[in-house]
Amino acid sequence: MPPKILQCVQHPGGVRRGFAQRVSTYFQVTADMTAEETFAREIVPLRNIRDNNEKIILTLDKVTLGNYDGIRIIHLLDWLLTQ
């Protein structure tokens, strides 16, 4: 079984009670998630992270887009055009 790879990006958050906080966003990238096994392989590692940081899966397929338990699945090109 290949290792699970997650990319976590930290960026400046806001200021809370005088302390600067950092916010992390977790990214998972896959070409296609239409197969049930692939969907599970990509989403399970993010579901296992028990924090309130944003979790995003970027994909090239347009079938599985949406929000699954707070994990956003976004088409890669749409995400790139909004950045």
Side-chain angles (χ1 to χ4, degrees), residues 40-59:
R41 183 189 71 221
E42 300 299 334
I43 206 161
V44 166
L46 292 172
R47 281 187 174 150
N48 290 335
I49 299 172
R50 300 290 182 201
D51 62 22
N52 292 325
N53 292 320
E54 184 174 31
K55 297 164 184 76
I56 297 174
I57 298 174
L58 300 173
T59 184

Side-chain angles (χ1 to χ4, degrees), residues 15-20:
V15 175
R16 184 177 174 188
R17 294 187 183 157
F19 296 97

Side-chain angles (χ1 to χ4, degrees), residues 6-7 9 25-33 38 41-43 46 54-62 64-66 71-83:
L6 289 174
Q7 179 66 43
V9 178
T25 301
Y26 298 97
F27 288 93
Q28 190 79 318
V29 181
T30 184
D32 182 82
M33 291 181 57
T38 306
R41 183 189 71 221
E42 300 299 334
I43 206 161
L46 292 172
E54 184 174 31
K55 297 164 184 76
I56 297 174
I57 298 174
L58 300 173
T59 184
L60 291 175
D61 85 66
K62 292 193 174 203
T64 57
L65 305 180
I71 300 168
R72 294 173 45 211
I73 300 178
I74 305 170
H75 190 269
L76 176 63
L77 297 178
D78 293 338
W79 182 80
L80 287 171
L81 290 172
T82 61
Q83 298 305 306

